[in-house]
Amino acid sequence: MVASWKNGALVAAVSLAVAAAVCAGAAAASKFDGVVLPSWANDHVVYEGDLLKLRLDASSGGGFASKNRFLYGKATADLKLVPGDSAGVVTAFYLSSAGDKHNEFDFEFLGNVTGEPYLVQTNLYIDGVGNREQRIDLWFDPTADFHTYSVLWNPSQVVFLVDDTPIRVYENKTATRGHHHRHPNSTTPSTDIAFPSPQPMAVYSSIWNADDWATRGGLVKTDWSHAPFVATFRDVSVEGCAWAANATDSDAGEVARCTGSSWGKEGRYWWKEKDMQELSVHQSHQLVWARAHHLVYDYCVDTGRFPVQPPECAGR
């Protein structure tokens, strides 16, 4: 009878633990499911408490995508990167439209050996053409705590921010607006410089093995003895003009609504207001500081890749 009681108690305890874990996973899922859903390798997208974790092992990485697409707005992730030896591992947070002529705005976090800094690579694809990479090192350890990474996108500019500090701005040089706060690398308006056309974009994140290029140009390979590699999200949010689910990618009505309106079903379109069309004075100073102290690569000055400087880089 004693042994039977003990076995019953053990079974009850295990059942309670399993139920608690299921409830915790469901709570986390409900927190994120209003915004994103697993998009591939669902078993490597793990809900744990109030967190969402992307796992990479020798069999697969994993990823998620937003439930809706957007035209203009701000996408934000509170993210803690893979700790320890993460060489060869890339975690990405990005926006992308569909098709061969797609637009894409990338944060790519390039893992490194223990003790060496992470590099953050940003890139823009415009009408299917990328090759606009910039890299910075960070002024903090991105594996020790959560930090906020955001992309602000409107008809005037695309801004990459880390903890609300702008690290990169890509301006619409054909837009007509005041320029009294523009950063020092700005140039006069030009019709020769491409800016992302109004295509609806979804928000994505993924983790994968990129040891053919990610760390020291591929010289350092992924050490699978440290797997699984885990990137942890505390929150993912999107504030933007939500594209109608039944609309085509080129729906003129949706373009007009998201481009021309100040209010919509989502509320006030604050991301398109006048003070969002360019950096503030304070943000301009932050950008200068970030680039002066932390920029380690800029395609604009890579004459080996670009003997003729790309037109958007004029003046650098």
Side-chain angles (χ1 to χ4, degrees):
M1 287 294 293
V2 173
S4 175
W5 180 87
K6 286 182 178 178
N7 289 339
L10 179 60
V11 169
V14 170
S15 298
L16 287 171
V18 170
V22 169
C23 289
S30 64
K31 170 184 174 181
F32 287 97
D33 279 356
V35 183
V36 299
L37 291 172
S39 57
W40 61 284
N42 292 15
D43 59 334
H44 285 62
V45 181
V46 180
Y47 298 104
E48 188 175 294
D50 286 332
L51 306 174
L52 186 159
K53 297 186 174 184
L54 297 183
R55 295 166 56 96
L56 169 68
D57 56 32
S59 67
S60 180
F64 62 71
S66 61
K67 295 178 67 175
N68 299 313
R69 295 181 299 161
F70 302 86
L71 180 58
Y72 307 127
K74 186 178 184 181
T76 300
D78 287 347
L79 169 62
K80 182 161 61 174
L81 294 173
V82 177
D85 187 347
S86 57
V89 177
V90 171
T91 305
F93 178 68
Y94 62 103
L95 289 72
S96 182
S97 58
D100 293 339
K101 298 291 187 178
H102 76 292
N103 298 326
E104 183 174 326
F105 313 141
D106 298 338
F107 270 112
E108 293 177 311
F109 304 95
L110 313 184
N112 215 331
V113 295
T114 302
E116 294 297 319
Y118 258 86
L119 293 180
V120 179
Q121 176 168 285
T122 59
N123 196 5
L124 293 94
Y125 285 75
I126 300 174
D127 293 333
V129 179
N131 297 324
R132 297 179 174 90
E133 299 91 346
Q134 293 182 1
R135 291 183 180 183
I136 68 165
D137 54 26
L138 292 169
W139 51 95
F140 53 82
D141 180 356
T143 72
D145 204 350
F146 292 92
H147 291 270
T148 302
Y149 306 92
S150 305
V151 179
L152 172 70
W153 168 42
N154 61 39
S156 297
Q157 60 180 354
V158 179
V159 185
F160 295 83
L161 303 107
V162 175
D163 289 338
D164 290 327
T165 296
I167 62 166
R168 181 175 187 177
V169 178
Y170 191 92
E171 295 179 308
N172 185 353
K173 300 293 178 61
T174 65
T176 56
R177 63 192 191 277
H179 302 296
H180 56 286
H181 292 162
R182 295 175 72 186
H183 62 85
N185 290 324
S186 297
T187 60
T188 56
S190 171
T191 58
D192 298 326
I193 299 172
F195 189 79
S197 56
Q199 302 177 27
M201 304 180 84
V203 178
Y204 300 89
S205 184
S206 58
I207 188 170
W208 77 95
N209 176 37
D211 66 4
D212 58 331
W213 65 270
T215 306
R216 294 183 59 198
L219 294 177
V220 182
K221 301 300 183 182
T222 302
D223 184 346
W224 294 107
S225 70
H226 296 297
F229 304 97
V230 179
T232 304
F233 292 80
R234 184 171 58 184
D235 193 29
V236 178
S237 64
V238 184
E239 297 178 83
C241 183
W243 197 259
N246 60 349
T248 65
D249 288 356
S250 57
D251 188 291
E254 287 297 277
V255 171
R257 180 178 68 85
C258 292
T259 302
S261 301
S262 299
W263 287 80
K265 60 186 177 181
E266 307 86 357
R268 180 172 61 90
Y269 290 176
W270 61 265
W271 51 87
K272 295 201 299 95
E273 293 183 349
K274 186 175 181 180
D275 59 354
M276 293 291 109
Q277 294 178 16
E278 58 185 355
L279 299 186
S280 68
V281 172
H282 176 63
Q283 288 175 321
S284 295
H285 292 165
Q286 288 180 310
L287 178 66
V288 169
W289 172 84
R291 295 179 66 83
H293 294 89
H294 296 281
L295 184 68
V296 297
Y297 175 80
D298 185 353
Y299 76 107
C300 283
V301 295
D302 188 342
T303 55
R305 289 179 65 196
F306 302 102
V308 176
Q309 192 177 48
E312 67 268 20
C313 299
R316 297 188 188 179

